[in-house]
Amino acid sequence: MTRVAKASIKAFSGKDPQHSYFIGCSNGGRQALMEAQRFPEDYDGILAGAPANYWTHLLTTALFNAQATTLDPASYIAPANCRRSPTR
């Protein structure tokens, strides 16, 4: 992707891009970290915002939340208590 983008810029403008940056958040942040580790020469700067890379923590939290909201029937939100927001 990076090589194709840089070649496209050069074909369009006749010169190489002056700077190249990668910005990603969540899964894009995880991709930014992978890019920095595997291809550090591709970009002049990489911003990895909130990278989803700590899988043990993320999946354990998801499991905890699922159990907290489904193991006890008292924690269910009854359909009668759900109100739909008005459609605009």
Side-chain angles (χ1 to χ4, degrees):
M1 171 198 75
T2 302
R3 282 185 255 140
V4 170
K6 288 181 178 183
S8 298
I9 291 168
K10 186 171 186 172
F12 180 78
S13 68
K15 59 183 180 177
D16 290 323
Q18 292 180 344
H19 300 286
S20 298
Y21 299 100
F22 187 109
I23 300 171
C25 189
S26 190
N27 190 48
R30 182 184 65 80
Q31 293 168 343
L33 292 178
M34 290 172 50
E35 178 69 28
Q37 292 171 350
R38 295 178 184 176
F39 308 102
E41 69 285 349
D42 280 358
Y43 294 96
D44 298 310
I46 296 175
L47 177 63
N53 67 324
Y54 188 11
W55 287 107
T56 304
H57 175 75
L58 290 171
L59 296 178
T60 302
T61 300
L63 180 60
F64 173 82
N65 290 338
Q67 288 180 337
T69 58
T70 60
L71 287 180
D72 182 2
S75 67
Y76 293 179
I77 299 173
N81 294 332
C82 296
R83 293 181 4 192
R84 294 182 179 213
S85 60
T87 307
R88 294 183 189 198

